[in-house]
Amino acid sequence: MTPIRRHKELDRIWKTPRGWGRLSAVNHTVVGRRFMVTSLVFFAIGGLLAMLIRTQLATRDSAFMEPGTYAQVFTMHGTIMMFLFAIPFFEGLAMYLLPKMLGARDLAFPRMSAYGYWCYLFGGSILIVALLMGAAPDGGWFMYTPLSSSTYTPGISADVWLLGISFVEISAMSAAVEFLVSILLLRAGGMSLDRMPIFAWYMLVVAGMMLVGFPPLILGSVLLETERALGLPFFDPTRGGDPLLWQHLFWLFGHPEVYIIFLPAAGVLSTIIPVFSSHRLVGFRAVVAAIVTMGFLSFGLWVHHMYTTGIPHLSLSFFSIASALVAVPTAVQIFAWFATMAAGRPRFSIPMLHVGGFMFVFVFGGLSGVMLAMVPFNSQVHDTQFVVAHLHYVLVGGFIFPMMAAAYYWLPHMCGRQPVQHLSHAAFWTVFGGFNLTFLGMHLTGLLGMTRRLYSYDDPAWEVLNFISSMGGFVTTIGFALLALDLILLVMFGKRARRDPWGAGTLEWATPMPPPSYAFAAIPVLEDAPDGRRIAAGQGLLAVPRGQLETLGVDPLTGAPQQIVVLPASTFLPLWTAVATGGIYLSLLAKTYLLVPPLALVVVVLFLRWTRSTPPAQVLDAGRGIRLPNQSASGAAPSLWAMRFVIAGDATAFASLLFGAGFLAISAPGWPPPGWPEDSVRTILPVAVGAAIALLRPHGIAAVIAQGLILAGSAAALWRIEGATDHAAPASLAAVAAYAALHAAIGLVIAAWAVKRPRAEQDISAQWQRYAAIVGAMSMAFPIVLRLLSSAAA
Amino acid sequence: MIQIVRIILGFVLWSGFFLLIYGAQATGCAIGIDPARLRLVLIAALGLGVVAGVWPIVLARRHASPLSNSALLASYAALGATVLVFSGVLWMKLC
């Protein structure tokens, strides 16, 4: 087969339809680009809001905005930048790059990527519409209770945030599962873990962090929305709740979030610096260990946002030391980058200019971070502009500069055009100068006592610094406008780039530029030292098109070919499923709760329709004399792995719920409650029997019966709970019982669906059946534990 | 997969002991356990954490593989983090 014929045949199989058919796109290149472009639109909106903030603060006693509007503006600025720009942008970049770097033709669950994109677009758009209508959230981007409770924030503004962010986070969770499975299973032949590109290592750790980092926030949002909508008082101290529970749940997510944003950017740096230094990354294995260390340590310092809440000194010491320690793995990476530059011959092209910007700004922000890790200093500057300056140094330094480097570095790959470095330098220096002008002085205003989110001030000493900050803010904006103009001009009129223009040698540069829909004409095999021409000539695996979308599945450790993964073609199903999911969100927002069950049913039916394209079990020719099973016959299908990761994420949410209830029992005022719901054999027995059956026989009709029993028992337990709006104790028990009932209901649907499906799909179902059984059993035992805990603490 | 597990094993243990020690300290203070007895419990947990933290190092040293260097470094880091982060149980006021 000639390369041209292979290209035409593969493109016919993999391409996204034109016209309205573009809405059915599931291809990682298309969806990844959409994520990036959409997040840049949100970045522009967030930047505009920042300008409004700086205009308000430029002078004393400014009448530019009224306090309510100002509160909406700073809340939406933070919310947009964190949730609608930073995370989705790196998700899009990773979606675009990972398969190409790993030598795969797509990600493991392309429809999930598309579904995540639509959820992100709808959720983000609703937040922006709320802003335009003057009903935007106004309680700050971390929505502290009791300010965000219905007493102090009536109306729908807080609901827009809580429901909108939960909706948007669907995309983050789906991306986390997508990345984990894709990195572990879908790689080039022979690409063992130690030969995997460093960016993939970063994303592997980041995806794991997202999987366990986001559930506490989603759970917290659900609990707070339940308090606002139904009156269950999880955060109301007058009814056994505690506002600090929100802080714990939020920062359990919020601090790892900073590293979730930084690590992909660090992955970009670890990729770019060796290329421009003409030297391999020094200390590759130490860097891998540093990434793992950072990933874990970042979960052990959430309380460093809560030093002033009255937590005992010993507890503070745990978090303070962990906060300081995280500087060590960060330094390991920074020294590895410097060592790589020192060992090689650095070329200071435009991406490296942004790397330099990162080095200066991020190291500065990191040092103020170590200062903030120390309890006495932190207590002095808590909630001041110093903290605002620090977080901008860390996030702009740690994310924006590396992403600008990434934009210039991969521009030739994405659009086939080469940076020409005229406007690029001016844009960089304007952003760099403007940024430091904005935020350097903010450290001083913070030390002078100016608190964050202050609407107006009258101290003349603050005015000069604030005016400089505001001028710096406008200079920064001009810099970003220049950058945008430069990139647009390059995309439209830039000179044609040759293949692998930087001499990188990584696999993504072996694809044509811009990349075709199928990425690789043949799946590379690393022993062949693959390059673009050999791959185009069909040297590799799966080089002969078979009329279906195929990529290679490998052994996670060794990279040995293990299976052929058949992927779904373009379909509107993700769009319709996201529309139905959006309907649930809007129904909850409008408090038309009767619409929720039918819409949930539509979502379930649509999701089940996704499974129709699962291929029958087959053994196929992979080329080069190798025959491999497809995923249905392999016993290690990506879906099986995905279910394991979904359960891990869900278990984190359940653990957070149990932690929350336990926290209230020992810390909140007004415990134990005046009366506890009585335990009943009628509720415990069916759950116990159902759980036992599900654990022993998680397949077939037995699983259906088991989940039916758990659902009946959990629903009965929920029904028996009285006074859930009176006290947090019954509210917590109701939440745990509802959690078990929901999981049993999902188990019931999956079990019924799997009854007549092939064994491989029943095995996927079985994992959920066992997990739902454990959740059910724990939910029945939990009231006893909570009662004991509460009594002991009384 | 076992090699991937070896890379994270040290910090999985660190996370477990973080939850155990922080949870025991918070719960112990809330339910009013005698401080001397609570300190003993916490010191015992710290000792157990240090002993457990040696295990991933031994595993990484014993099983040579392309990733064992990373596993060894991460395990050392986890052990160091255990000793440093929880050292306050030896001398700080508990509640």
Side-chain angles (χ1 to χ4, degrees):
Chain A
M1 184 181 274
T2 63
I4 297 292
R5 193 173 154 213
R6 180 177 291 106
H7 162 73
K8 285 184 176 169
E9 186 62 18
L10 281 168
D11 195 50
R12 185 186 63 76
I13 297 166
W14 286 83
K15 75 176 177 189
T16 299
R18 294 185 174 278
W20 288 105
R22 289 178 200 277
L23 299 177
S24 68
V26 297
N27 187 283
H28 73 283
T29 298
V30 179
V31 178
R33 279 182 183 152
R34 282 182 187 172
F35 260 106
M36 285 187 275
V37 170
T38 309
S39 64
L40 287 174
V41 172
F42 284 123
F43 177 68
I45 297 170
L48 186 68
L49 296 175
M51 291 304 91
L52 296 179
I53 294 170
R54 284 316 326 165
T55 306
Q56 171 71 21
L57 295 179
T59 54
R60 278 183 291 162
D61 302 319
S62 170
F64 179 65
M65 272 188 281
E66 59 180 35
T69 310
Y70 182 72
Q72 289 188 32
V73 167
F74 72 66
T75 300
M76 284 300 290
H77 167 71
T79 301
I80 288 172
M81 291 306 197
M82 297 298 274
F83 295 103
L84 303 184
F85 164 63
I87 298 171
F89 187 85
F90 82 68
E91 281 172 15
L93 185 70
M95 268 177 201
Y96 178 90
L97 284 177
L98 274 176
K100 299 177 186 85
M101 283 185 160
L102 295 170
R105 284 181 175 149
D106 208 328
L107 292 163
F109 307 103
R111 292 174 301 190
M112 212 61 193
S113 311
Y115 173 68
Y117 172 74
W118 294 120
C119 286
Y120 158 58
L121 179 67
F122 295 159
S125 302
I126 289 165
L127 278 161
I128 301 302
V129 169
L131 176 68
L132 295 174
M133 293 173 69
D138 54 3
W141 78 272
F142 34 76
M143 276 285 139
Y144 271 3
T145 54
L147 178 62
S148 56
S149 68
S150 54
T151 309
Y152 303 104
T153 306
I156 64 161
S157 65
D159 304 311
V160 169
W161 192 95
L162 294 166
L163 293 167
I165 293 303
S166 299
F167 190 41
V168 168
E169 293 323 326
I170 291 173
S171 72
M173 291 301 288
S174 59
V177 173
E178 177 95 285
F179 293 153
L180 283 167
V181 177
S182 302
I183 293 168
L184 288 175
L185 293 191
L186 306 190
R187 304 200 298 264
M191 184 184 275
S192 55
L193 272 184
D194 61 313
R195 296 177 75 181
M196 198 165 73
I198 190 70
F199 183 75
W201 268 106
Y202 276 95
M203 287 311 302
L204 185 65
V205 173
V206 167
M209 292 171 70
M210 288 163 76
L211 193 70
V212 293
F214 282 93
L217 172 68
I218 295 171
L219 177 88
S221 300
V222 171
L223 294 184
L224 182 51
E225 182 56 27
T226 315
E227 178 177 295
R228 289 178 56 85
L230 306 175
L232 275 67
F234 299 105
F235 308 101
D236 179 357
T238 63
R239 292 180 288 162
D242 193 336
L244 280 187
L245 174 59
W246 171 261
Q247 295 196 26
H248 278 294
L249 291 175
F250 185 88
W251 292 116
L252 262 170
F253 147 82
H255 203 87
E257 148 98 338
V258 175
Y259 297 88
I260 286 170
I261 290 172
F262 167 67
L263 282 173
V268 166
L269 297 169
S270 287
T271 304
I272 290 178
I273 291 171
V275 171
F276 285 98
S277 304
S278 307
H279 195 279
R280 63 176 174 76
L281 179 66
V282 171
F284 180 96
R285 286 169 183 163
V287 170
V288 169
I291 307 166
V292 171
T293 303
M294 250 181 137
F296 276 91
L297 282 179
S298 71
F299 281 90
L301 36 126
W302 78 91
V303 167
H304 96 196
H305 298 269
M306 301 166 61
Y307 281 166
T308 57
T309 57
I311 287 170
H313 284 176
L314 177 60
S315 312
L316 292 183
S317 77
F318 301 157
F319 296 98
S320 179
I321 296 168
S323 303
L325 272 185
V326 85
V328 177
T330 313
V332 167
Q333 292 167 79
I334 289 172
F335 284 120
W337 297 326
F338 278 127
T340 305
M341 285 191 265
R345 288 193 307 274
R347 285 174 283 153
F348 288 99
S349 302
I350 187 67
M352 280 297 269
L353 202 55
H354 288 278
V355 171
F358 155 84
M359 293 289 186
F360 181 87
V361 174
F362 182 77
V363 170
F364 200 95
L367 291 175
S368 63
V370 175
M371 293 163 76
L372 284 167
M374 302 302 125
V375 178
F377 182 81
N378 186 302
S379 303
Q380 292 297 314
V381 296
H382 181 76
D383 260 351
T384 67
Q385 295 280 38
F386 186 94
V387 177
V388 179
H390 158 71
L391 78 89
H392 281 88
Y393 263 86
V394 170
L395 290 174
V396 174
F399 187 74
I400 304 280
F401 279 107
M403 286 302 139
M404 290 192 288
Y408 283 108
Y409 179 71
W410 278 294
L411 186 80
H413 191 278
M414 291 184 190
C415 64
R417 305 284 177 174
Q418 180 83 8
V420 285
Q421 312 206 13
H422 297 306
L423 199 51
S424 317
H425 282 90
F428 167 78
W429 286 111
T430 315
V431 172
F432 182 79
F435 171 81
N436 285 292
L437 203 59
T438 311
F439 293 102
L440 195 63
M442 215 178 269
H443 292 95
L444 296 176
T445 46
L447 290 171
L448 288 170
M450 183 173 174
T451 54
R452 69 195 301 186
R453 297 171 182 174
L454 196 63
Y455 147 70
S456 184
Y457 59 90
D458 54 13
D459 189 332
W462 298 358
E463 191 174 35
V464 177
L465 290 167
N466 271 293
F467 185 77
I468 293 169
S469 283
S470 294
M471 289 306 105
F474 287 105
V475 172
T476 312
T477 305
I478 292 167
F480 279 119
L482 282 176
L483 185 97
L485 180 66
D486 187 36
L487 291 175
I488 290 168
L489 290 175
L490 288 173
V491 170
M492 292 175 70
F493 308 113
K495 66 174 180 183
R496 279 263 163 216
R498 59 186 165 78
R499 200 192 285 260
D500 195 4
W502 312 114
T506 40
L507 269 180
E508 80 272 22
W509 296 103
T511 69
M513 299 187 322
S517 52
Y518 52 85
F520 296 100
I523 301 295
V525 177
L526 291 201
E527 285 75 23
D528 297 349
D531 65 24
R533 284 185 188 82
R534 286 182 191 163
I535 290 169
Q539 285 186 24
L541 298 171
L542 301 175
V544 181
R546 234 186 306 255
Q548 56 185 6
L549 292 80
E550 294 176 344
T551 193
L552 187 69
V554 299
D555 177 81
L557 185 68
T558 63
Q562 197 176 47
Q563 59 184 315
I564 293 171
V565 178
V566 181
L567 297 170
S570 298
T571 166
F572 286 97
L573 272 175
L575 175 61
W576 296 133
T577 314
V579 168
T581 315
I584 295 175
Y585 164 43
L586 288 174
S587 304
L588 290 169
L589 200 58
K591 305 200 188 307
T592 51
Y593 299 119
L594 285 176
L595 284 175
V596 174
L599 283 166
L601 189 65
V602 173
V603 172
V604 169
V605 170
L606 285 168
F607 268 127
L608 289 179
R609 278 181 66 92
W610 289 31
T611 62
R612 280 186 171 185
S613 60
T614 309
Q618 283 176 308
V619 176
L620 301 164
D621 181 15
R624 298 162 61 118
I626 302 172
R627 289 182 66 77
L628 294 171
N630 67 3
Q631 73 259 44
S632 301
S634 70
S639 307
L640 195 69
W641 284 77
M643 181 58 92
R644 289 173 190 152
F645 291 128
V646 167
I647 288 172
D650 193 277
T652 310
F654 188 53
S656 303
L657 177 60
L658 300 185
F659 157 78
F663 171 79
L664 292 179
I666 63 167
S667 295
W671 282 66
W676 285 92
E678 290 294 320
D679 298 324
S680 167
V681 176
R682 277 182 295 177
T683 60
I684 294 175
L685 194 62
V687 174
V689 173
I693 296 172
L695 287 170
L696 294 170
R697 293 289 305 275
H699 296 90
I701 293 293
V704 179
I705 295 168
Q707 295 302 338
L709 285 169
I710 299 172
L711 177 59
S714 304
L718 187 59
W719 187 258
R720 285 171 55 84
I721 294 170
E722 292 178 349
T725 57
D726 298 333
H727 195 277
S732 301
L733 295 182
V736 173
Y739 203 92
L742 177 66
H743 282 65
I746 294 169
L748 190 64
V749 171
I750 297 175
W753 160 84
V755 165
K756 292 197 171 178
R757 305 290 295 185
R759 181 73 188 187
E761 291 176 46
Q762 288 195 28
D763 288 342
I764 297 169
S765 160
Q767 298 202 28
W768 184 269
Q769 307 308 330
R770 292 192 193 98
Y771 169 64
I774 293 167
V775 169
M778 287 178 73
S779 75
M780 287 301 110
F782 187 68
I784 301 162
V785 176
L786 196 66
R787 196 178 306 184
L788 286 173
L789 208 54
S790 168
S791 305
Chain B
M1 279 306 288
I2 194 72
Q3 293 192 36
I4 300 174
V5 173
R6 271 189 213 126
I7 290 185
I8 61 171
L9 184 60
F11 272 104
V12 168
L13 289 170
W14 175 82
S15 307
F17 280 96
F18 196 113
L19 291 177
L20 177 71
I21 293 174
Y22 182 41
Q25 181 260 337
T27 311
C29 289
I31 66 178
I33 291 181
D34 170 45
R37 193 170 296 176
L38 182 57
R39 191 179 296 279
L40 274 181
V41 170
L42 296 176
I43 290 172
L46 171 59
L48 204 62
V50 172
V51 173
V54 174
W55 178 47
I57 295 172
V58 173
L59 279 181
R61 280 180 171 277
R62 193 176 291 166
H63 302 278
S65 75
L67 293 175
S68 57
N69 264 350
S70 300
L72 188 63
L73 289 169
S75 302
Y76 277 128
L79 182 60
T82 303
V83 173
L84 285 169
V85 170
F86 309 123
S87 59
V89 303
L90 297 171
W91 60 278
M92 289 191 83
K93 193 178 167 198
L94 292 183
C95 301

